[in-house]
Amino acid sequence: MRSDLCSGTLPARKHLPAAWAGTPVLDVVVPVFNEEDDLRPCVRRLHEHLTRTFPYAFRITIADNASTDGTPAVATDLARRIEEVRSVRLERKGRGRALRTVWSASDAPVLAYMDVDLSTDLNALLPLVAPLISGHSDLAIGSRLSRGARVVRGAKREVISRGYNLILRGSLQARFSDAQCGFKAIRRDVAQVLLPLVEDSGWFFDTELLVLAERAGLRIHEVPVDWVDDPDSTVHIVRTAAEDLKGVWRVGRALATGALPLDRLARPFGDDPRDRGLADVPRGLARQLVGFCAVGVLSTVFYLLLYSAFRAVTGAQLANGLALLVSAVANTAANRRLTFRVRGRGGMVRHQAQGLVVLAIGLALTSGSLAALDTASSDPARSTELAVLVAANLAATVLRFLLFRAWVFADRGQARAGDTDPRQTGVTPTQAAPPRRGAASAAPPGRAAPWTASEAGPAPRPDTPAVTPARPPLPSRPAPQADDDPRTTR
């Protein structure tokens, strides 16, 4: 997984202004590969729908994935005939690569994409992007599996789709209901942070993006959709499923080993109500208690198993000390990663050393309990020994949590408590700048100036091919007149 992302704080979510001067608010990407028959009716239908129902300026971007048929010519003709349409040509295949390339260079504050077959009913488009425009959510997905969705498709695709989402829930703890529906949207400022972390360039791109967003604490809005299966779809189901499973394994391994820099993404907007300082309420206490209790239960079971194994070959005191030593090292490592969210190897030795000090205190409690038991009874039953040790370990566990929170991992808590809320320092969220005027404005009259990354926003990633769209960024769309058909050839 990519871990070279420069950390940065995203601006607070807020409602986009009603009149976004000079820049389309929504950029809908339609990735295509050899779709010369379906492309024209798809784009015309989408354009008509947006013109009729969408209250903001918009753009439709055709992302041609190295098509070998007449798709490029159709895309170019559509961009020439319809003002709000542009065409981008990529020389390498991959839906994820196409979305990353166009989204990275777009200047629209809300980015979306949909499949060319328009299997999803377009009436869900406005509900999809509205939470992003209002500032309520960070990403939005269409869902065929949530309550209220109406889906028409064969049993084979139904089983594969539901099975894949069950795998995501079981392996990656995903909570979103549908990762594969080709109907998604994202805020541009969120995309700028997440896209450099996404490795996949094919069909798994959507899933990886959603998993990263969810693990980062971003808000994902789901819209139940009406969806009709396209029987002529060219997607290779078996090959796509195999690639998706490889992606699940890769992302799951990265999450398990801490290779993803999710600490740089966690709640980056600074407007989460859980980040607000409340008197007499320690921050993160409830979550840490739950995590510590889960680790404690597992550690206690591990300790008892070790004690029983050591006790079969040695005395009670030595078995207790060995079992405590091994389980305490595992307990400190688990709490470091899971409870207090400390990533990387920095401070690991110091944390383990402090954990051993906490172990010594626990050893004193449990050893003292065994000594007291031996004083009370010369030959106590093994079950009595275990019961005394459980009670002593519970007391040691409470003390361990307090010491972990206040001493061992106190630097982590202080760092979080000192996070700056931009609203408290007077720093206003970053506003979108008006489009810069450079080469595009200097183009001769009657000719479309070349579209460049410097005008459209952040530069594409170095490993993505250069693109040359047919049209520059468009100005705000005026309200159509009654006798003006926007689809008419100019």
Side-chain angles (χ1 to χ4, degrees), residues 368-387:
S369 301
L370 286 175
L373 180 62
D374 289 337
T375 302
S377 175
S378 58
D379 187 21
R382 188 65 56 82
S383 59
T384 305
E385 275 188 2
L386 291 177

Side-chain angles (χ1 to χ4, degrees), residues 157-425:
R157 287 182 177 269
E158 181 76 12
V159 170
I160 291 176
S161 179
R162 291 188 178 274
Y164 178 67
N165 283 280
L166 285 176
I167 291 174
L168 293 181
R169 289 176 177 269
S171 58
L172 301 180
Q173 287 78 53
R175 295 189 298 272
F176 47 85
S177 64
D178 191 353
Q180 294 177 309
C181 182
F183 196 70
K184 296 182 176 68
I186 185 172
R187 288 176 66 100
R188 181 173 59 119
D189 48 11
V190 177
Q192 288 173 336
V193 175
L194 289 183
L195 290 181
L197 289 174
V198 180
E199 285 192 13
D200 192 81
S201 296
W203 294 96
F204 187 69
F205 174 88
D206 305 48
T207 302
E208 189 170 355
L209 183 71
L210 289 174
V211 170
L212 292 178
E214 189 172 75
R215 290 301 184 99
L218 303 182
R219 179 175 287 159
I220 301 175
H221 177 71
E222 294 197 12
V223 178
V225 298
D226 297 343
W227 195 85
V228 179
D229 190 17
D230 179 13
D232 299 325
S233 174
T234 58
V235 177
H236 195 289
I237 298 178
V238 176
R239 185 187 307 126
T240 302
E243 293 298 324
D244 286 346
L245 292 178
K246 291 179 182 178
V248 170
W249 168 257
R250 173 173 54 80
V251 173
R253 183 177 57 184
L255 292 172
T257 59
L260 280 171
L262 293 179
D263 55 328
R264 305 180 188 176
L265 295 175
R267 284 190 259 158
F269 288 94
D271 60 356
D272 194 313
R274 294 170 293 178
D275 288 332
R276 298 170 188 167
L278 301 178
D280 302 323
V281 179
R283 298 180 59 193
L285 178 60
R287 182 192 58 77
Q288 290 178 357
L289 275 174
V290 172
F292 184 83
C293 289
V295 173
V297 170
L298 295 177
S299 297
T300 301
V301 174
F302 185 47
Y303 162 81
L304 292 175
L305 292 175
L306 290 174
Y307 176 81
S308 299
F310 291 141
R311 185 67 177 85
V313 296
T314 187
Q317 293 288 1
L318 182 57
N320 175 60
L322 292 175
L324 269 178
L325 178 62
V326 176
S327 61
V329 172
N331 181 277
T332 301
N335 277 303
R336 183 177 187 270
R337 173 68 63 83
L338 303 176
T339 304
F340 297 96
R341 306 289 180 89
V342 180
R343 305 288 181 178
R345 298 187 177 183
M348 180 184 297
V349 175
R350 174 172 59 83
H351 292 154
Q352 285 291 353
Q354 292 171 320
L356 291 178
V357 175
V358 177
L359 163 67
I361 299 174
L363 181 61
L365 284 174
T366 53
S367 298
S369 301
L370 286 175
L373 180 62
D374 289 337
T375 302
S377 175
S378 58
D379 187 21
R382 188 65 56 82
S383 59
T384 305
E385 275 188 2
L386 291 177
V388 170
L389 287 173
V390 168
N393 269 285
L394 287 176
T397 297
V398 175
L399 183 60
R400 184 184 300 120
F401 176 75
L402 297 176
L403 290 174
F404 274 176
R405 182 175 174 85
W407 179 45
V408 180
F409 303 109
D411 54 339
R412 185 68 173 174
Q414 291 168 1
R416 288 186 175 180
D419 289 344
T420 302
D421 187 336
R423 295 170 298 174
Q424 298 172 356
T425 60

Side-chain angles (χ1 to χ4, degrees), residues 12-213:
R13 292 187 298 258
K14 62 184 302 184
H15 199 301
L16 297 175
W20 191 272
T23 303
V25 169
L26 175 65
D27 192 349
V28 182
V29 182
V30 182
V32 291
F33 173 73
N34 289 348
E35 298 285 357
E36 59 179 345
D37 294 332
D38 295 335
L39 180 57
R40 191 182 302 276
C42 161
V43 171
R44 288 197 176 278
R45 179 180 163 197
L46 175 60
H47 180 267
E48 187 275 333
H49 178 84
L50 288 171
T51 303
R52 178 169 46 86
T53 65
F54 195 67
Y56 291 87
F58 65 85
R59 176 193 299 140
I60 300 172
T61 301
I62 304 170
D64 176 20
N65 271 325
S67 295
T68 56
D69 62 356
T71 299
V74 175
T76 302
D77 182 65
L78 287 168
R80 180 176 60 84
R81 291 173 176 271
I82 305 176
E83 183 181 7
E84 289 87 358
V85 175
R86 70 172 180 177
S87 173
V88 178
R89 167 76 176 179
L90 287 84
E91 299 302 329
R92 298 174 63 191
K93 288 181 60 178
R95 182 179 69 172
R97 178 177 290 108
L99 293 178
R100 179 188 289 116
T101 301
V102 177
W103 281 358
S104 296
S106 179
D107 56 353
V110 176
L111 311 169
Y113 94 88
M114 62 182 60
D115 293 335
V116 69
D117 56 15
L118 294 185
S119 295
T120 304
D121 185 74
L122 291 178
N123 287 326
L125 182 56
L126 186 55
L128 182 80
V129 302
L132 309 186
I133 293 175
S134 70
H136 174 272
S137 301
D138 308 305
L139 297 91
I141 64 174
S143 175
R144 300 161 296 184
L145 303 179
S146 62
R147 181 174 299 178
R150 294 178 290 187
V151 178
V152 179
R153 62 175 166 182
K156 180 179 179 181
R157 287 182 177 269
E158 181 76 12
V159 170
I160 291 176
S161 179
R162 291 188 178 274
Y164 178 67
N165 283 280
L166 285 176
I167 291 174
L168 293 181
R169 289 176 177 269
S171 58
L172 301 180
Q173 287 78 53
R175 295 189 298 272
F176 47 85
S177 64
D178 191 353
Q180 294 177 309
C181 182
F183 196 70
K184 296 182 176 68
I186 185 172
R187 288 176 66 100
R188 181 173 59 119
D189 48 11
V190 177
Q192 288 173 336
V193 175
L194 289 183
L195 290 181
L197 289 174
V198 180
E199 285 192 13
D200 192 81
S201 296
W203 294 96
F204 187 69
F205 174 88
D206 305 48
T207 302
E208 189 170 355
L209 183 71
L210 289 174
V211 170
L212 292 178

